[in-house]
Each structure stands twice: as structure tokens, then as C-alpha cells.
């Protein structure tokens, strides 16, 4: 009997080890920066800190933005957003998340906030699964945040009773976080939350890493979508 228990235990351990190894291998195949990004951003000139990418404005406005990347997307794919938002006066952090999976590093914002005490107000959000990870953080640490935003994403939990300002930016042609999904998620947001649809936008163009399986084709260029995100985020943050 003991031999069978040992064999079963070893079998379970082996299956678990295989699953972990398979996941790690799978996570290595990431979506990197696209040609559109490298044409618009000098990646070699981007500053880096202990957490990841950091964009420091020439004229700081006392507000900071933390952006969690989508699953299996390299942080550099959001460098155009980071650079453009810093030009609006925001300190912008795009931290390195474990294996490029936000849900494995939802607490990363703590280290960013601690590293830049001069920032008076922090706005946390993310793209796709990164938005889910941001919502995990906000559930436990909303007192550290001034606002929570989502790019082609929605929260994992119910924030309907929260007094935290929240913003949802979504694409009309998003094939992964569809318009129907966004509409269904409204019940998870406070009543005064802001929802903005980008006409012609899709899922992948919230980052600059090329096309994504399961997504629909966008009717606008990647830079057009990114510029709209910058304007929408800037206006919302300045109003909160």
C-alpha cells in the first residue's frame, strides 16, 4: 500500500513539474516590439530603473502612471505610450513583470511607488491581462492609488461600491476583449466610471507588438490608436 502511495505521489509530482516547465517554456515566446514602435521610439535611449522602464518628464506635474503589460508582451511594446505620456508631465513606469505575466507580479506597483516618493498621485492600470493584475492590486491597496484604468480589459472583482475613479478604454474592433465583454463588465465598475470607445481600434494596438491571434483587424493605424489612448488618459487623470 505504501509503495502505491509513493508511486502516486511521484506521479503527481512529475505531472506538476512537467506543467511548470511547459509553462516556463511557453512564457519565453513573447510578443516583442514591432517595426512601428522602433520607427517611432529609440529603445536604446529609454531609461531603466530597478523595476523596468521609467519615463521622466521634463516638467513633472506630480502625477505618476504605472502600466502593466499584457500577457506575454514585452514591456518595451508600450514604450511609445510611456514616452508620449511623460511628455504630458507624468512620471511613467512600465515595470518588468515575472515571465511577462501580470498576474504573477500584481504587487509590483508597491516597489514603483516606494521608489518615487516625489510623485503625489498614482494611477495604475494595464492592457489585457495586465488590467486584471492591476485590479488585483487595487483590491488590497486602493488607498495608495488615485485612479485605476483599463486598456482592452476589465477588473477581475467587483468595484461597484468603490469610490476609486476608474476608466475603461476599449477598441471598437477588439476581438479578445469585445465590446460585448466591456458592456457586460460595466456592472463591476462604480456608476461614475468613464468608458471610452476608440473607433476602429482593436486589442493588439494598445501595445505595439504586431498582430495578435484571435484579434480583429483595426481600421486605424497603431499610432493613431496609441495617440488617442494618450489623450483620453491625460484628460481623465487631469480631471481626477
Amino acid at each position: 500500500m505504501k509503495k502505491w502511495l509513493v508511486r502516486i505521489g511521484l506521479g503527481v509530482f512529475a505531472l506538476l513539474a512537467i506543467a511548470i516547465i511547459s509553462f516556463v517554456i511557453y512564457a519565453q515566446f513573447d510578443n516583442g516590439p514591432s517595426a512601428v514602435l522602433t520607427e517611432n521610439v529609440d529603445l536604446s535611449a529609454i531609461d531603466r530603473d530597478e523595476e523596468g522602464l521609467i519615463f521622466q518628464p521634463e516638467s513633472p506635474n506630480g502625477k505618476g502612471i504605472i502600466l502593466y503589460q499584457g500577457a506575454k508582451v514585452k514591456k518595451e511594446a508600450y514604450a511609445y505610450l510611456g514616452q508620449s505620456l511623460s511628455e504630458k508631465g507624468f512620471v511613467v513606469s512600465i515595470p518588468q513583470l515575472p515571465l511577462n505575466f501580470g498576474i504573477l507580479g500584481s504587487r509590483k506597483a508597491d516597489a514603483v511607488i516606494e521608489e518615487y516618493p516625489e510623485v503625489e498621485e498614482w494611477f495604475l492600470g494595464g492592457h489585457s491581462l495586465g488590467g486584471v493584475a492591476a485590479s488585483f492590486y487595487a483590491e488590497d491597496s486602493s488607498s495608495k492609488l488615485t485612479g485605476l484604468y483599463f486598456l482592452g480589459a476589465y477588473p477581475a472583482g467587483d468595484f461597484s461600491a468603490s469610490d476609486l475613479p476608474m476608466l475603461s478604454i476599449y477598441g471598437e474592433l477588439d476581438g479578445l476583449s469585445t465590446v460585448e465583454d466591456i458592456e457586460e463588465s460595466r456592472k463591476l465598475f462604480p456608476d461614475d466610471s468613464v468608458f471610452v470607445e476608440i473607433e476602429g481600434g482593436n486589442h493588439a494596438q494598445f501595445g505595439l507588438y504586431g498582430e495578435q491571434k484571435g484579434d480583429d483587424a483595426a481600421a486605424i493605424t497603431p499610432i493613431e490608436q496609441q495617440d488617442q489612448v494618450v489623450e483620453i488618459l491625460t484628460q481623465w487623470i487631469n480631471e481626477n
Side-chain angles (χ1 to χ4, degrees):
M1 184 66 177
K2 290 184 178 180
K3 289 183 178 180
W4 279 106
L5 290 175
V6 171
R7 290 177 180 175
I8 291 172
L10 289 174
V12 171
F13 177 79
L15 289 173
L16 181 60
I18 291 171
I20 293 173
I21 292 171
S22 298
F23 174 78
V24 171
I25 293 174
Y26 167 76
Q28 303 310 307
F29 295 92
D30 298 317
N31 295 308
S34 67
V36 174
L37 176 61
T38 56
E39 290 169 0
N40 288 274
V41 178
D42 181 1
L43 295 178
S44 66
I46 296 176
D47 291 333
R48 299 169 188 267
D49 58 13
E50 293 183 2
E51 312 313 323
L53 306 183
I54 185 70
F55 300 83
Q56 294 279 10
E58 291 186 3
S59 301
N61 58 18
K63 300 180 180 182
I65 299 173
I66 302 171
L67 172 61
Y68 285 172
Q69 71 230 58
K72 298 178 82 278
V73 180
K74 292 185 177 180
K75 59 186 181 300
E76 287 81 6
Y78 302 92
Y80 181 83
L81 283 178
Q83 178 176 281
S84 299
L85 287 165
S86 71
E87 292 171 357
K88 301 290 186 179
F90 305 110
V91 172
V92 183
S93 171
I94 306 176
Q96 175 61 53
L97 302 175
L99 297 176
N100 293 328
F101 276 87
I103 57 176
L104 299 180
S106 62
R107 305 298 310 176
K108 195 72 170 182
D110 280 332
V112 177
I113 293 171
E114 182 177 350
E115 188 168 352
Y116 299 97
E118 69 276 12
V119 176
E120 300 170 358
E121 299 178 358
W122 283 104
F123 296 81
L124 172 66
H127 172 220
S128 195
L129 196 61
V132 175
S135 73
F136 286 160
Y137 179 89
E139 285 181 339
D140 297 330
S141 306
S142 58
S143 61
K144 295 183 179 180
L145 303 177
T146 303
L148 181 65
Y149 68 91
F150 299 85
L151 307 178
Y154 38 86
D158 187 355
F159 284 81
S160 59
S162 174
D163 58 0
L164 186 67
M166 292 173 64
L167 167 69
S168 172
I169 306 176
Y170 58 99
E172 176 192 15
L173 302 176
D174 192 322
L176 299 174
S177 296
T178 65
V179 172
E180 291 75 17
D181 293 333
I182 299 299
E183 288 299 320
E184 178 65 22
S185 75
R186 283 178 180 264
K187 62 187 178 185
L188 302 176
F189 288 74
D191 290 339
D192 59 353
S193 297
V194 178
F195 286 77
V196 183
E197 179 183 273
I198 295 181
E199 294 184 7
N202 68 358
H203 193 78
Q205 289 186 171
F206 282 112
L208 293 178
Y209 53 88
E211 297 180 356
Q212 186 168 352
K213 185 177 180 180
D215 198 10
D216 293 330
I220 58 176
T221 69
I223 294 300
E224 286 175 334
Q225 181 163 338
Q226 297 260 307
D227 286 343
Q228 288 192 52
V229 170
V230 170
E231 293 304 318
I232 294 166
L233 258 178
T234 299
Q235 180 178 345
W236 175 72
I237 290 174
N238 287 336
E239 292 175 350
N240 286 284

